[in-house]
């Protein structure tokens, strides 16, 4: 009985020690200062500070819109749509994968737009860095090569459509057309061109599908999907004619 009492007392003391350890750790943790973060708007001491902040805000906005700018104002749209048509015409489902097609389109876009971007750098960015022109002049000079590229790829019919929708005075020349009208006109022109190229791509592969289907039906093999037989022939045809070389070469030359 004495041993039981002794073990009970030892157990109570051990439990008390265990309860004291977290409280001591908590007291030690409370001794450390907890940092806080405060965000506020203060009064600027110099007007230049406001200008710098506005420029940073504009830069962040442009960076967030960079993907949309690349899609809307470059050759990317035509390239990616044509490559998607090619994959569907071959019937290879997800081969090549989307990542490869997007990557190829991006690098071809950089290759095609390199002379335009070089002109932007020479006429706008470099003079602005050297403080020869103002920021507004740099933006105006940067838009000129891009607008010239977009005008070469845009149909007059598409431009007239958006001019009529916007209800602006009839422009006398290209300089009178706002960029807000040029961009959507350029987009639908690129889509139309890409669909035309896609239709031409479909024709030889469609002929192979029709021939294979006719042969399978004439042999009475109703349960065999024609796509399983025609797919190797379509891929073989595309490889034999060096399809990637012809397609990419034609696409790049269509912008010049």
């Amino acid at each position: 009985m004495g041993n039981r009492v002794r073990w009970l007392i030892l157990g109570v003391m051990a439990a008390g020690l265990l309860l004291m350890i977290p409280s001591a750790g908590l007291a030690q943790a409370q001794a450390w200062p907890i940092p806080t973060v405060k965000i506020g708007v203060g009064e600027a001491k110099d007007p230049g500070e406001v200008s710098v902040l506005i420029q940073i805000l504009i830069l962040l906005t442009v960076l967030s819109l960079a993907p949309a700018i690349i899609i809307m104002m470059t050759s990317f749209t035509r390239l990616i749509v044509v490559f998607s048509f090619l994959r569907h015409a071959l019937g290879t489902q997800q081969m090549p994968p989307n990542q490869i097609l997007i990557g190829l389109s991006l690098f071809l876009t950089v290759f095609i737009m390199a002379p335009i971007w070089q002109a932007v750098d020479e006429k706008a960015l470099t003079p602005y860095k050297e403080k020869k022109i103002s920021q507004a002049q740099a933006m105006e000079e940067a838009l000129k090569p891009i607008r010239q590229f977009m005008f070469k790829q845009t149909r007059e019919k598409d431009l007239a459509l958006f001019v009529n929708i916007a209800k602006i005075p009839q422009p006398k020349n290209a300089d009178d057309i706002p960029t807000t009208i040029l961009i959507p006109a350029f987009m639908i022109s690129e889509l139309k061109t890409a669909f035309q190229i896609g239709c031409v791509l479909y024709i030889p592969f469609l002929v192979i599908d029709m021939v294979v289907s006719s042969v399978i039906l004439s042999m009475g093999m109703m349960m065999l999907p024609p796509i399983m037989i025609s797919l190797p022939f379509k891929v073989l045809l595309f490889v034999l004619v060096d399809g990637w070389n012809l397609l990419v070469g034609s696409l790049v030359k269509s912008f010049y």
Side-chain angles (χ1 to χ4, degrees):
M1 186 67 180
N3 291 333
R4 292 182 180 180
V5 173
R6 187 181 304 169
W7 283 111
L8 181 60
I9 294 172
L10 290 175
V12 172
M13 293 176 64
L17 290 174
L18 290 176
L19 291 174
M20 290 174 64
I21 290 173
S23 61
L26 181 60
Q28 185 178 2
Q30 290 179 350
W32 291 94
I34 300 175
T36 59
V37 178
K38 295 182 180 180
I39 300 176
V41 178
E43 183 179 358
K45 299 180 181 179
D46 185 6
E49 295 180 5
V50 180
S51 177
V52 172
L53 290 174
I54 293 175
Q55 291 178 5
I56 294 174
L57 180 61
I58 294 174
L59 178 61
L60 292 176
T61 305
V62 171
L63 290 177
S64 64
L65 295 176
I69 293 173
I70 292 176
I71 291 174
M72 292 188 299
M73 302 177 66
T74 64
S75 58
F76 181 83
T77 301
R78 184 187 304 185
L79 296 172
I80 192 63
V81 172
V82 171
F83 289 150
S84 299
F85 267 112
L86 173 64
R87 186 170 63 182
H88 287 292
L90 286 171
T92 53
Q93 302 299 325
Q94 295 297 321
M95 190 62 60
N98 290 330
Q99 292 85 348
I100 294 179
L101 293 183
I102 294 173
L104 178 59
S105 301
L106 283 174
F107 277 102
L108 287 176
T109 300
V110 172
F111 177 78
I112 294 169
M113 300 297 295
I116 291 91
W117 291 338
Q118 184 177 0
V120 171
D121 181 67
E122 293 176 355
K123 297 180 179 179
L125 189 58
T126 301
Y128 177 69
K129 288 181 179 179
E130 296 174 354
K131 298 182 179 180
K132 294 181 180 178
I133 58 177
S134 63
Q135 185 176 2
Q137 291 174 333
M139 291 292 294
E140 185 178 353
E141 292 295 328
L143 278 175
K144 287 181 180 179
I146 300 175
R147 282 171 57 90
Q148 185 178 2
F149 167 80
M150 295 170 68
F151 273 118
K152 289 176 62 177
Q153 311 302 326
T154 307
R155 296 174 176 84
E156 294 184 3
K157 183 179 180 181
D158 298 327
L159 285 172
L161 171 65
F162 287 97
V163 168
N164 293 331
I165 293 175
K167 297 180 180 180
I168 64 173
Q170 191 69 23
K172 298 179 181 179
N173 50 41
D175 295 334
D176 295 337
I177 299 177
T179 305
T180 53
I181 289 178
L182 176 59
I183 291 176
F186 170 76
M187 283 290 293
I188 63 174
S189 294
E190 286 293 282
L191 288 174
K192 182 177 180 179
T193 303
F195 272 66
Q196 290 174 343
I197 298 174
C199 290
V200 175
L201 278 175
Y202 253 99
I203 293 175
F205 302 116
L206 182 61
V207 171
I208 294 177
D209 285 333
M210 293 175 63
V211 171
V212 171
S213 299
S214 300
V215 172
I216 290 177
L217 289 175
S218 63
M219 295 176 65
M221 296 186 294
M222 303 290 186
M223 302 301 294
L224 184 63
I227 187 65
M228 295 183 62
I229 307 299
S230 63
L231 179 59
F233 290 101
K234 292 191 288 186
V235 174
L236 182 62
L237 173 65
F238 190 71
V239 172
L240 289 177
V241 300
D242 199 3
W244 286 110
N245 185 287
L246 291 174
L247 179 60
V248 172
S250 300
L251 282 172
V252 173
K253 291 177 183 177
S254 66
F255 289 97
Y256 295 102

